[in-house]
Amino acid sequence: MGLVQPIATRRSATGIPTGKLAVWWLIGSEIVIFGGVLVSYIILRHYHADWTEEAAATNVWLGGLNTFVLLTSSLFAVLAHYYMEKRNDAKKASMYLWLTVVGALTFLVVKSFEWTHEIQHGYVMTKSLFWGFYYTAAGIHGLHVIAGAVIMGIIAIQIRQGKHYNRVELIGLYWHFVDIVWIFLFPLLYIAK
Amino acid sequence: MSSAEHHHEQSIWEKYIFSVDHKVIGMQYMFTGIAMALIGGFFVYVFRMQLAFPGMSVPGFGTVNPMEYNSLVTNHGSIMIFWVAMPVLIAAFGNFLIPLMIGCDDMVFPRLNRLSYQIFLVSAIILIISFFVQGGGFGGAWTSYPPLSAKSEYNLTPWGASLWLLAVALEFVAFLIGGINFITTLMNSRAPGMKMYDIPIVCWMIVIASILFMASVGPLIAGAVMLGFDQVYSIGFFDPGKGGDPVLWQHLFWFFGHPEVYVVLLPAMGIVAEVITTFARKKLFAYKTVLFTAAATGVLSFFVWAHHQFVSGIDPRMANVFTVTTLMISVPIAEMLFVYIATLYGGSIRFTTAMLFALAFLAEFLIGGVTGIYLGASGSDIFFHDTYFVLAHFHYTFVPIAIIATFAGLYYWFPKMSGRLMNETLGKIHFWMTIIPFNFIFIPLFILGASGQHRRIYNYQNFPDLAVPELQNLRVVATVALIFMILGQIPFFYNFIVSWKKGEKADANPWKAATLEWAAPSPPPHGNFAELPNCYRGPYEYSVPGRDLDYWPQNVK
Amino acid sequence: MSEHVDHGPGFYVKTWGILLVLFAISVIGPIAEIRWLTLITAFGVAVVKAYFVAARFMHLDIEKRYINYMFATMLLMMLLFWGGIVADIGAHRGSNWVRIAPSQVQAPGSLSQPKVNAMKVEQSDETTSEEPTIESEGH
């Protein structure tokens, strides 16, 4: 497995480290993916005034709780970056990364309660196109949360082994993006009824 | 050096199957793309035989029933665009050339590179599997409009439709990942001294194409997820009965679909630029113009998409807008063609096979481009939409892009990839047996389209106006020309395979070109350069006055 | 790495505090049940929150400018996409058409009266899909 890192990876003609540049482009591509779903949703939601009835069933308190959880987890992520980069403290950084992961898991647990409740009351994907969008948009977002949490855990372990310190910032950037998507999903799915 | 030891210990698995070396991965993409082209080519042979000789058993396939016909045309289109043009032009040439041309030892993320190929390979396998499942391969056209594509009671290929969609989605993911690699590598890993305007045009084009792809594919990925849910759970994103809208799919598809054609065009133009500068011994006439018009084309390509939907019931006010923008986009591309012609003017032209293909690209693409004007104007498009005129137009653009430019690139860089030269005589036979039949296939199709022959019909004998002998003869001409064109590829394959092992040995720079890849050995070893080069000048310093040699390599002080 | 910035942890905690305040506003806004107020508090606040996360947590305020331009371009693409399709997908009527879903049509012979082939499709809908009744020479 021992891949010798190519010299190419260490060069930086732009001044931005390679890994970070890649994450910026990754986020750019994700903006248009989520954008596609959300623009379609916004237009159809506006068109279908009768979806207000369906939308009334979303739980703004659980949605709000999840918003709080993600905002706080973003704080933990940036603190992890601070401790890694400014204080060179892998132990503290790792702790904050794990706290972020806890935030992610909390988000998923809350969401699973929310969705279970909704499904049991008959608000399933096939009930109305509103719910189709609801589950699709939140579902794609949820997959990104899961992926982010997994990678974050791996990085938290790696920095305790003394390697890949730069990745703390990178996963943090990804995580903040996931947070920003939710910042827009929350009003779209829960508040704008 | 630990990398050298590592190299010695490498098994066949590590060296060729699970390699992380950009050159090997590039070749993997190349060979997969060529294999898929054979499949796509076989499909076109079958359905063109059906069109020319309806109802007769096609040698090598049997009789073609209507459902099979739909599957053949759908998968021909999908394969040629997603599994041939994109992997060969972007992933194969991009992977092989970019690190070499910017003077570094690999892509910045070698393992991600390998992963993107693996995902791509899985997507190709899934597509092939879709041909063998119950119901057969998807037959709803490469554009996959719902409700045909969403409801299995309409398309009659429940498994095929979903597998096709999955294959396309995975291919998109593979190219998103690969694109990040290319963009980051070009931005960051250039040789010391290589400024922005010293980068060879083909590298710029591949990276701009990757950026265009990245910016445009998002909505379609979203749409693919929605269509998948429609197929499996009948959610109704595109079903008016459930509150959705089929035109939404069209917009999601074409918002990507139009930039996509420039995603494949730009790398092809980049390859042509490299070939013509080398074999005209002349600088590119206006490097910055080419670069900025390529970028402008890319930007403008986002504003034209609904010209595919003029007759779909879009708002006519939008149709006005899209007509204007579509006609505008022909300007930057024409500009690039003018620059290429100006590059040739006064040059010392050497007609190698690569150069012949590059010149043919210019001539054939020109025809494709001007016929697009008729389609971009919404008035005339009302007549031409969904006729063979459209088909002939896009083959006059796509075949130069995916086939002619690819051959130009293959003949040009074959010595670098293999360390040997291809046979020029066989190359010229291949060239003429490709180009001449190509025109005999598609000029009849322009005429057929203008006569009202609509697309995606399995047997024109059912339409009295179109079944007349004059038109049927044209169909036969096109099919016979296709057979010749297919036979004409035999010299190429023979040449390629035999020359790889037994061709005349090539040194590092057989064409006396100036760009950095020619400074590496042929073929380059792992790590590419014994000593990574510096860059001292632009990429096309040919025939510089006052110098002995007619080329001045970028890495020579 | 994000260079010459020496924000201590307090800076980030303060930003988090601002985010929570904004979040509270967005939740309280709808209670008044005034539509325009809800929209401003919900979406306006979302934009401001996103700004704070992007600028301060992602350090985009000190990142190279062209990265910000790249993101702005992606967002503009989405705006372009919205603009290009809203006249079609978002409108109930155009200058010459009205959009009614087939399921909403009450009387036959009205606007969306089924044309001949639509009827055929409906009928073949009822046959099972094991026998594709495509008489190729039929139409």
Side-chain angles (χ1 to χ4, degrees):
Chain A
M1 275 293 278
L3 168 78
V4 176
Q5 192 185 54
I7 294 173
T9 318
R10 286 175 248 144
R11 283 181 172 171
S12 181
T14 58
I16 303 178
T18 301
K20 194 151 128 182
L21 190 57
V23 173
W24 290 135
W25 283 106
L26 174 70
I27 292 176
S29 70
E30 295 272 30
I31 290 178
V32 285
I33 296 178
F34 279 105
V37 180
L38 294 183
V39 167
S40 306
Y41 171 68
I42 289 171
I43 293 182
L44 285 174
R45 176 71 187 86
H46 182 79
Y47 175 85
H48 286 285
D50 50 305
W51 285 3
T52 310
E53 264 178 70
E54 305 285 350
T58 59
N59 188 329
V60 69
W61 300 112
L62 289 183
L65 174 60
N66 266 344
T67 309
F68 168 77
V69 166
L70 277 189
L71 288 175
T72 311
S73 71
S74 258
L75 170 66
F76 290 145
V78 76
L79 286 176
H81 173 214
Y82 169 82
Y83 282 107
M84 190 70 255
E85 191 185 309
K86 292 284 187 287
R87 303 280 192 84
N88 214 7
D89 188 341
K91 196 159 169 216
K92 261 213 168 119
S94 178
M95 175 193 85
Y96 277 111
L97 283 182
W98 284 117
L99 282 174
T100 313
V101 172
V102 167
L105 293 173
T106 311
F107 177 91
L108 293 168
V109 165
V110 171
K111 195 146 232 33
S112 55
F113 273 120
E114 187 191 358
W115 281 10
T116 309
H117 180 87
E118 280 159 355
I119 292 172
Q120 283 174 339
H121 283 78
Y123 296 113
V124 289
M125 250 184 127
T126 44
K127 181 175 193 290
S128 147
L129 188 55
F130 167 80
W131 292 103
F133 270 109
Y134 173 84
Y135 285 110
T136 302
I140 298 179
H141 176 260
L143 286 175
H144 283 79
V145 169
I146 296 174
V150 167
I151 298 175
M152 201 169 279
I154 295 175
I155 294 176
I157 296 173
Q158 285 181 333
I159 60 175
R160 290 303 298 274
Q161 293 170 342
K163 46 186 188 177
H164 301 313
Y165 291 163
N166 66 314
R167 291 180 181 178
V168 176
E169 180 181 20
L170 302 187
I171 190 62
L173 291 176
Y174 172 84
W175 192 254
H176 297 307
F177 171 71
V178 169
D179 185 22
I180 290 179
V181 172
W182 182 260
I183 285 175
F184 285 104
L185 274 181
F186 175 59
L188 279 173
L189 298 176
Y190 294 90
I191 299 189
K193 300 192 185 193
Chain B
M1 249 298 296
S2 63
S3 64
E5 296 166 24
H6 201 253
H7 191 72
H8 281 240
E9 292 163 22
Q10 278 186 333
S11 62
I12 299 277
W13 289 105
E14 282 183 318
K15 208 168 162 198
Y16 295 116
I17 314 287
F18 289 106
S19 173
V20 290
D21 185 307
H22 69 101
K23 302 182 290 297
V24 175
I25 295 175
M27 299 309 293
Q28 289 175 329
Y29 272 110
M30 178 74 74
F31 290 130
T32 310
I34 292 178
M36 295 300 274
L38 291 174
I39 298 177
F42 174 69
F43 286 177
V44 65
Y45 153 75
V46 173
F47 71 72
R48 275 239 60 94
M49 289 292 281
Q50 157 64 18
L51 287 173
F53 311 111
M56 291 180 53
S57 172
V58 175
F61 185 86
T63 43
V64 182
N65 70 43
M67 271 187 68
E68 285 170 338
Y69 182 86
N70 291 339
S71 276
L72 289 168
V73 299
T74 301
N75 287 294
H76 166 76
S78 310
I79 288 176
M80 290 311 202
I81 297 175
F82 295 129
W83 283 278
V84 178
M86 285 184 69
V88 169
L89 288 168
I90 301 176
F93 282 120
N95 256 313
F96 191 85
L97 294 174
I98 292 180
L100 284 169
M101 286 177 121
I102 65 176
C104 66
D105 54 343
D106 207 319
M107 288 285 179
V108 288
F109 301 121
R111 280 173 300 188
L112 209 59
N113 208 5
R114 178 180 59 189
L115 177 68
S116 62
Y117 174 72
Q118 290 168 336
I119 296 176
F120 171 76
L121 184 63
V122 167
S123 79
I125 293 172
I126 290 179
L127 187 75
I128 293 174
I129 289 176
S130 80
F131 306 150
F132 298 106
V133 294
Q134 188 188 44
F138 178 55
W142 85 282
T143 49
S144 182
Y145 283 5
L148 178 64
S149 59
K151 296 193 181 212
S152 58
E153 61 263 34
Y154 295 164
N155 61 43
L156 304 177
T157 58
W159 288 104
S162 296
L163 286 175
W164 178 91
L165 193 62
L166 180 62
V168 172
L170 283 175
E171 195 261 10
F172 288 165
V173 170
F175 276 90
L176 276 177
I177 297 177
I180 293 177
N181 227 338
F182 296 154
I183 298 169
T184 313
T185 303
L186 188 72
M187 283 178 83
N188 255 356
S189 305
R190 288 169 263 148
M194 184 179 269
K195 300 182 286 295
M196 294 243 286
Y197 301 134
D198 298 330
I199 300 173
I201 281 286
V202 70
C203 297
W204 270 121
M205 295 294 201
I206 292 175
V207 166
I208 294 175
S210 299
I211 296 175
L212 289 183
F213 179 79
M214 183 183 282
S216 62
V217 85
L220 185 55
I221 292 183
V225 172
M226 295 197 267
L227 183 63
F229 281 137
D230 268 15
Q231 286 176 346
V232 179
Y233 296 118
S234 299
I235 302 291
F237 289 105
F238 307 117
D239 183 349
K242 299 213 164 124
D245 193 340
V247 181
L248 176 63
W249 166 267
Q250 292 188 20
H251 283 297
L252 288 166
F253 183 88
W254 287 114
F255 185 80
F256 159 74
H258 196 83
E260 162 69 4
V261 316
Y262 297 99
V263 166
V264 293
L265 170 63
L266 294 183
M269 295 203 76
I271 293 174
V272 169
E274 301 301 323
V275 173
I276 64 175
T277 47
T278 300
F279 293 121
R281 311 311 285 167
K282 262 191 84 183
K283 234 170 151 149
L284 192 61
F285 180 75
Y287 177 102
K288 284 188 193 166
T289 303
V290 171
L291 186 57
F292 292 127
T293 43
T297 306
V299 170
L300 206 49
S301 72
F302 280 96
F303 290 83
V304 303
W305 82 87
H307 67 230
H308 300 272
Q309 298 167 257
F310 281 142
V311 298
S312 301
I314 62 169
D315 193 314
R317 294 166 292 182
M318 298 309 294
N320 293 341
V321 171
F322 284 110
T323 299
V324 170
T325 52
T326 305
L327 297 181
M328 276 168 61
I329 203 172
S330 57
V331 173
I333 302 178
E335 172 74 18
M336 290 205 281
L337 285 183
F338 286 140
V339 167
Y340 285 11
I341 295 172
T343 305
L344 293 167
Y345 184 80
S348 173
I349 313 271
R350 202 176 138 204
F351 290 103
T352 55
T353 309
M355 184 58 156
L356 287 173
F357 274 107
L359 295 172
F361 174 89
L362 297 176
E364 308 285 13
F365 187 80
L366 184 70
I367 299 176
V370 301
T371 49
I373 310 273
Y374 296 92
L375 301 169
S378 51
S380 47
D381 187 63
I382 293 175
F383 178 77
F384 284 124
H385 178 81
D386 231 34
T387 64
Y388 267 63
F389 194 93
V390 177
L391 209 138
H393 155 72
F394 71 67
H395 279 90
Y396 260 98
T397 48
F398 261 114
V399 171
I401 289 170
I403 298 187
I404 298 179
T406 297
F407 283 137
L410 282 176
Y411 280 99
Y412 183 59
W413 279 297
F414 182 89
K416 183 55 55 187
M417 296 178 192
S418 67
R420 295 176 186 274
L421 294 169
M422 283 178 90
N423 181 298
E424 277 294 309
T425 311
L426 281 177
K428 289 177 170 122
I429 296 175
H430 171 225
F431 171 75
W432 292 111
M433 283 199 68
T434 302
I435 296 298
I436 296 180
F438 163 67
N439 289 293
F440 277 98
I441 300 174
F442 292 104
I443 291 180
L445 295 191
F446 275 125
I447 301 172
L448 285 167
S451 310
Q453 176 175 303
H454 34 304
R455 291 172 68 180
R456 298 171 177 147
I457 298 291
Y458 140 92
N459 186 350
Y460 291 100
Q461 300 312 310
N462 300 324
F463 297 88
D465 288 347
L466 297 175
V468 295
E470 302 82 55
L471 296 183
Q472 187 61 22
N473 288 341
L474 288 174
R475 291 179 200 116
V476 175
V477 167
T479 301
V480 171
L482 172 68
I483 307 277
F484 275 106
M485 187 172 165
I486 291 178
L487 291 174
Q489 307 312 304
I490 296 177
F492 167 74
F493 282 108
Y494 175 81
N495 196 356
F496 191 93
I497 294 171
V498 172
S499 303
W500 194 280
K501 287 292 182 195
K502 298 210 195 126
E504 186 189 326
K505 266 199 182 269
D507 61 14
N509 196 354
W511 311 126
K512 305 288 176 262
T515 40
L516 284 182
E517 77 272 28
W518 303 103
S522 296
H526 197 58
N528 293 343
F529 300 94
E531 207 184 291
L532 291 181
N534 294 326
C535 173
Y536 298 101
R537 61 193 60 83
Y540 307 117
E541 296 298 315
Y542 294 105
S543 307
V544 179
R547 294 197 53 89
D548 294 336
L549 290 176
D550 72 341
Y551 68 111
W552 200 359
Q554 282 188 289
N555 62 318
V556 165
K557 228 183 178 136
Chain C
M1 324 296 163
S2 30
E3 317 75 342
H4 35 269
V5 172
D6 252 324
H7 291 137
F11 174 77
Y12 300 115
V13 176
K14 267 190 229 148
T15 308
W16 175 73
I18 297 174
L19 287 169
L20 289 187
V21 169
L22 290 167
F23 166 57
I25 296 174
S26 67
V27 177
I28 293 171
I31 294 181
E33 288 204 6
I34 306 171
R35 190 178 154 88
W36 59 264
L37 182 66
T38 303
L39 285 175
I40 293 178
T41 50
F43 292 105
V45 160
V47 170
V48 177
K49 271 200 252 169
Y51 168 78
F52 274 105
V53 173
R56 297 201 177 182
F57 284 176
M58 294 170 85
H59 300 107
L60 276 173
D61 54 354
I62 53 172
E63 186 56 79
K64 294 218 176 349
R65 260 208 241 133
Y66 53 81
I67 300 291
N68 285 300
Y69 293 152
M70 187 264 282
F71 288 136
T73 307
M74 297 298 179
L75 290 169
L76 283 171
M77 286 297 142
M78 292 297 92
L79 187 64
L80 168 69
F81 181 61
W82 177 84
I85 78 177
V86 69
D88 291 334
I89 314 295
H92 287 268
R93 58 177 61 239
S95 40
N96 288 317
W97 50 271
V98 178
R99 195 159 124 215
I100 307 176
S103 60
Q104 292 170 339
V105 173
Q106 307 293 341
S110 67
L111 270 161
S112 77
Q113 63 185 348
K115 306 174 198 67
V116 178
N117 29 344
M119 285 263 269
K120 272 209 188 133
V121 165
E122 272 182 87
Q123 282 167 2
S124 62
D125 255 342
E126 282 146 26
T127 63
T128 56
S129 45
E130 272 120 273
E131 24 184 41
T133 51
I134 310 177
E135 306 109 46
S136 52
E137 328 304 304
H139 22 266

